[in-house]
Amino acid sequence: MLQCGISRRSFLVFCTSLMVAAPYGLAITDKKTPEEVAAGLDKVLRPPIIWLHFQDCTGCTESMLQTSAPGFADLILNVISLEYHETLMAGSGLQARQALDEAVKRYAGKFILVVEGSIPTKDHGIYMKIAGRPAMDVLADVGGKAAAIIAIGSCASWGGIPSADPDPTGAVGVADLMPDKSIINIPGCPPNPYTMLGVVLQYAADGTFPETDEQRRPKFAFDRDIHEHCPKRAHFDAGNFVKQYGDEGHREGWCLYEMGCKGPDTHAGCSTRHFNEIPDVWPIGIGAPCIGCTEKAVAFKVPMFQVVQLHTIAAPPTAFAPISTTYSTISPLATGLVGIAVGAAAGAGYIASRKFSRAEDDESVPGSVVPDNKSKPESSDSDRPQL
Ligand code: SF4
């Protein structure tokens, strides 16, 4: 690290502050600033990590490999000690199995086990064996000796795609098999790598996990729903909905609620921390509805185009994200009319006026209705694409 011209502490402060904590608008823990967390990291030994794959597509690992601050190489060389990872290690076969056995023995009671993929339970192992042992036995053995477990991805958190109906393997998450173990779930398909980094950095700093919700998810990344922070939220409040992929509303970037977007029912940080470190690279950002991959009751259970019930939306926000639109001229008359009709906050009036302006320009624009922030869209099955 010093050969690169910066100290380890400077590097950790940078990556902790800029890439992990700042995007969530808070410190990694509610007690410490990023600088304090990084200062702690500077003093501790790198925690040993053993990473096991079960029924997975390796997308979670792939997601982790896309980080740059810290990059995965920096993470495993400067922050943690990655003792075993089947995708990244050079060894295979007997050599790999010996490496796993030795790591478990050497760090028994001290290592963090990261689990990627669901565990098949039906018929005790006929669907998956690792070095001749059923997956359930491998998890019980290695997980039983771990200090704590991080279940990365929706599959490891509660079954994910393999558990979708008809669930031929009896796929479950880690906590289903080891309910009393210290486990933190980082669901997502794939999960956001910076959530994982935040959890690992805090554990490396002081040996604790962040505060979690009732589904064992770290609150710092899962305490708000997608709909709260969605850049298309203003379109939702204005009643502008995509009716079909490729229609004018879709091209204009309107709300995807009627296309089955699960954003109102999904807690995750995707709308504030995008993927591959490229702005707008997340499902809604590229014009696809949220599928609710971080929610156990939604992902791979609720049909893709089924419209979710609006449970938590009591009132629109007082400030909206900007709308990108080619219809940028705002008619003063329309602004005044909307201000009178809606009688709402200035931000809401502004957004609505833009909609009025469009409607006046072109009455054929889909969804050109008087905005009504309280009564939210009635969806029509006939408008919705069929699976
Ligand atoms: Fe965004 Fe989906 Fe909510 Fe529309 S329904 S504002 S696309 S999260």
Side-chain angles (χ1 to χ4, degrees):
M1 184 59 59
L2 286 173
Q3 288 176 340
C4 302
I6 58 171
S7 70
R8 180 169 180 255
R9 180 173 183 178
S10 299
F11 164 75
L12 291 170
V13 168
F14 170 77
C15 63
T16 307
S17 308
L18 183 65
M19 300 305 292
V20 181
Y24 293 110
L26 40 75
I28 289 177
T29 74
D30 54 1
K31 302 280 191 312
K32 290 181 177 156
T33 65
E35 288 76 11
E36 288 169 336
V37 172
L41 284 173
D42 199 34
K43 297 188 185 103
V44 297
L45 291 173
R46 295 177 300 149
I49 304 268
I50 292 175
W51 189 304
L52 292 180
H53 294 268
F54 292 102
Q55 293 186 132
D56 70 326
C57 69
T58 320
C60 305
T61 290
E62 183 61 37
S63 180
M64 287 299 300
L65 292 173
Q66 303 305 319
T67 60
S68 69
F72 203 70
D74 289 325
L75 179 73
I76 62 178
L77 292 173
N78 295 300
V79 181
I80 64 168
S81 176
L82 188 61
E83 299 296 324
Y84 182 87
H85 190 302
E86 288 154 13
T87 306
L88 302 178
M89 62 197 295
S92 62
L94 181 62
Q95 193 182 26
R97 182 178 174 178
Q98 286 174 342
L100 175 61
D101 291 343
E102 284 169 17
V104 170
K105 191 173 170 190
R106 187 180 317 132
Y107 298 109
K110 298 177 186 153
F111 68 88
I112 298 292
L113 172 64
V114 178
V115 174
E116 181 175 350
S118 63
I119 300 93
T121 59
K122 216 171 263 184
D123 299 326
H124 200 80
I126 66 167
Y127 294 100
M128 182 181 187
K129 288 190 175 180
I130 301 170
R133 300 162 73 201
M136 291 172 67
D137 293 354
V138 174
L139 177 66
D141 178 20
V142 181
K145 297 180 176 111
I149 301 176
I150 297 174
I152 186 167
S154 300
C155 299
S157 295
W158 45 67
I161 289 179
S163 68
D165 190 49
D167 187 11
T169 68
V172 298
V174 181
D176 295 311
L177 294 174
M178 311 184 87
D180 299 327
K181 194 80 185 173
S182 174
I183 298 170
I184 191 162
N185 288 331
I186 304 178
C189 195
N192 192 304
Y194 286 100
T195 306
M196 174 72 170
L197 286 175
V199 171
V200 169
L201 288 173
Q202 177 171 329
Y203 190 86
D206 62 14
T208 65
F209 278 151
E211 189 182 355
T212 58
D213 63 15
E214 68 283 356
Q215 295 185 35
R216 301 180 190 239
R217 301 175 296 187
K219 280 187 177 175
F220 75 82
F222 292 93
D223 64 343
R224 290 168 288 186
D225 65 48
I226 295 283
H227 191 71
E228 276 182 62
H229 296 269
C230 182
K232 299 182 187 297
R233 174 61 186 264
H235 282 304
F236 177 95
D237 291 312
N240 293 335
F241 298 105
V242 176
K243 305 287 185 185
Q244 194 171 9
Y245 288 118
D247 69 8
E248 185 168 358
H250 196 220
R251 294 196 298 277
E252 288 285 338
W254 287 5
C255 171
L256 295 152
Y257 176 75
E258 293 197 5
M259 299 297 289
C261 181
K262 309 296 187 289
D265 250 0
T266 301
H267 294 81
C270 313
S271 53
T272 53
R273 164 50 65 196
H274 302 165
F275 286 78
N276 296 348
E277 297 172 10
I278 299 172
D280 286 338
V281 173
W282 65 295
I284 291 173
I286 59 168
C290 167
I291 64 165
C293 69
T294 59
E295 293 292 343
K296 183 177 184 179
V298 177
F300 320 117
K301 294 186 172 60
V302 180
M304 192 169 287
F305 291 107
Q306 184 172 315
V307 173
V308 294
Q309 295 298 309
L310 302 175
H311 303 293
T312 57
I313 301 156
T318 54
F320 296 107
I323 300 174
S324 297
T325 172
T326 54
Y327 298 86
S328 56
T329 305
I330 305 165
S331 150
L333 173 62
T335 307
L337 286 175
V338 171
I340 295 168
V342 178
Y350 172 73
I351 296 304
S353 71
R354 303 183 89 169
K355 181 172 171 3
F356 264 57
S357 178
R358 278 204 303 278
E360 284 181 345
D361 290 340
D362 181 2
E363 290 182 0
S364 66
V365 174
S368 296
V369 293
V370 176
D372 177 354
N373 290 333
K374 302 301 178 194
S375 60
K376 267 311 109 205
E378 292 287 330
S379 48
S380 158
D381 284 343
S382 61
D383 288 331
R384 204 165 303 127
Q386 301 300 308
L387 278 172

